[in-house]
Amino acid sequence: FGLGLAICKEMVAAMGGSIYVRSTQDEGATFIVSLGFDNPNEQQIKQEQIRNESILKNLKNSKFLICSSSLACCRTISFTLRELGLINVESVMSEIELNAQLSNEINIL
């Protein structure tokens, strides 16, 4: 079936699930993935939202430094943090830039 299905099988097994296939000659195959996730109730959702808001509030004044040799990675993480309202975000792509930034006060690297 190829590498993709082998990877899916390993991922599904790691999450305690199962994967099945139904195949009909000349028609194709249908793959069914079953994962045992619980559906959260309203109280659990509200508690998670409160917890997330509290975490973001505590991080608002933190200074973040993103260090990656991948420009796409730097941009994606920086964008995501800024979308969450965390505006003190810098990114570097080289050891020289990293060393220069480390002389500044950084809370989260």
Side-chain angles (χ1 to χ4, degrees):
F1 287 101
L3 185 59
L5 183 56
I7 293 169
C8 288
K9 181 181 176 187
E10 290 297 318
M11 291 175 66
V12 168
M15 292 185 273
S18 54
I19 187 167
Y20 305 95
V21 62
R22 288 189 204 143
S23 181
T24 305
Q25 189 173 4
D26 298 326
E27 290 186 22
T30 301
F31 295 91
I32 301 150
V33 175
S34 175
L35 300 173
F37 293 117
D38 293 331
N39 290 327
N41 62 39
E42 290 296 319
Q43 182 181 2
Q44 290 170 321
I45 292 171
K46 186 169 179 84
Q47 287 173 339
E48 185 69 16
Q49 287 173 334
I50 291 169
R51 188 178 76 81
N52 290 342
E53 289 170 4
S54 175
I55 291 169
L56 284 174
K57 183 179 178 183
N58 289 333
L59 293 174
K60 285 285 185 195
N61 295 319
S62 296
K63 293 182 181 180
F64 294 84
L65 178 62
I66 311 304
C67 182
S68 174
S69 60
S70 165
L71 179 60
C73 183
C74 285
R75 286 182 176 172
T76 301
I77 295 172
S78 295
F79 175 81
T80 302
L81 291 173
R82 287 185 180 112
E83 284 292 303
L84 291 170
L86 306 172
I87 58 172
N88 295 318
V89 179
E90 295 290 332
S91 60
V92 297
M93 294 182 54
S94 73
E95 188 175 343
I96 294 169
E97 289 177 301
L98 175 60
N99 288 332
Q101 285 288 339
L102 288 178
S103 63
N104 298 328
E105 183 181 333
I106 302 292
N107 300 109
I108 299 172
L109 175 62

